[in-house]
Amino acid sequence: GAGVSQSPSNKVTEKGKDVELRCDPISGHTALYWYRQSLGQGLEFLIYFQGNSAPDKSGLPSDRFSAERTGGSVSTLTIQRTQQEDSAVYLCASSLATRNQPQHFGDGTRLSIL
Amino acid sequence: KQEVTQIPAALSVPEGENLVLNCSFTDSAIYNLQWFRQDPGKGLTSLLLIQSSQREQTSGRLNASLDKSSGRSTLYIAASQPGDSATYLCAVSGNTPLVFGKGTRLSVIA
């Protein structure tokens, strides 16, 4: 597709379960970013990939969160043993390069932990 | 630590008015500043990106300015339309990829 694609669009799960969120970036974009948007917290950076490597994981809130990227394309964000405070919209973005190129965002995955 | 503040948090204007949204940031060591639009339930749409060496960027009815030394940016929207209603987010790129403000929620009333 022409834009960044994220799946699922909505995910409801029980506390303690693991979830996996997927991001398909724009073809040819080498940089990929994950953000989290919570009510009252705004948008916070989680992790960024350049190719398949993650030079900056500083935003991951705990060791329950991990992400990988394969083939320089698709990325998955995994949250283990989910907690209610993990409920948020998880947004993925991609860009041609880091720093000085505009980031293009997907519509996000709305995660609700019961 | 970089902090980005947007004022006002919400704004309601009649159709046709010109308006200004404000963004300030605490660390002037940035690579660029980007303005986004977010519609309810959607992701972010990039509106304008200003490199740190630039003073302003224009796209249609939108004009964004950057004063890096004072840590300020403004987004000017001319002749506002109901379709401009959305949340507008400012973000700066420095040592972390993007740091966002909490946004200004704009309502343009027909």
Side-chain angles (χ1 to χ4, degrees):
Chain A
V4 177
S5 178
Q6 291 187 246
S7 61
S9 55
N10 285 283
K11 177 72 176 179
V12 180
T13 193
E14 294 179 347
K15 176 182 170 181
K17 300 285 189 185
D18 297 351
V19 295
E20 195 171 274
L21 312 180
R22 177 187 168 103
C23 173
D24 279 277
I26 292 172
S27 178
H29 281 194
T30 57
L32 185 147
Y33 309 81
W34 283 99
Y35 297 89
R36 179 167 74 173
Q37 189 171 32
S38 309
L39 274 176
Q41 297 294 321
L43 257 156
E44 57 177 328
F45 165 76
L46 298 178
I47 186 171
Y48 115 82
F49 289 90
Q50 178 59 42
N52 291 335
S53 63
D56 190 345
K57 305 179 183 180
S58 61
L60 293 177
S62 76
D63 59 7
R64 295 186 296 105
F65 287 72
S66 63
E68 65 174 14
R69 189 179 186 195
T70 55
S73 181
V74 171
S75 176
T76 53
L77 176 68
T78 301
I79 309 173
Q80 295 178 307
R81 305 180 302 281
T82 50
Q83 304 293 313
Q84 287 187 330
E85 61 263 28
D86 299 335
S87 297
V89 176
Y90 289 82
L91 290 162
C92 174
S94 69
S95 66
L96 278 171
T98 57
R99 305 293 185 208
N100 286 328
Q101 295 290 327
Q103 294 185 21
H104 300 268
F105 282 75
D107 284 344
T109 293
R110 182 174 299 277
L111 177 64
S112 300
I113 310 299
L114 302 178
Chain B
K1 179 185 170 185
Q2 178 75 270
E3 292 181 4
V4 179
T5 303
Q6 290 188 246
I7 294 172
L11 179 65
S12 183
V13 300
E15 181 178 6
E17 275 206 3
N18 303 324
L19 59 101
V20 174
L21 307 181
N22 296 291
C23 172
S24 61
F25 47 96
T26 54
D27 185 350
S28 61
I30 64 170
Y31 292 100
N32 60 57
L33 182 144
Q34 203 165 348
W35 282 94
F36 294 89
R37 168 188 173 135
Q38 186 174 31
D39 293 285
K42 296 292 187 181
L44 280 63
T45 300
S46 178
L47 298 173
L48 291 163
L49 182 148
I50 312 177
Q51 305 289 358
S52 61
S53 59
Q54 297 175 321
R55 298 285 293 188
E56 66 178 336
Q57 282 286 335
T58 298
S59 175
R61 294 183 293 108
L62 305 179
N63 176 277
S65 69
L66 174 64
D67 184 340
K68 200 175 87 159
S69 61
S70 68
R72 295 175 191 270
S73 176
T74 61
L75 179 66
Y76 175 82
I77 303 177
S80 58
Q81 302 171 357
D84 295 331
S85 298
T87 297
Y88 291 80
L89 292 153
C90 162
V92 296
S93 173
N95 289 326
T96 55
L98 278 178
V99 177
F100 284 83
K102 292 190 177 181
T104 294
R105 190 170 65 254
L106 173 66
S107 297
V108 181
I109 312 301

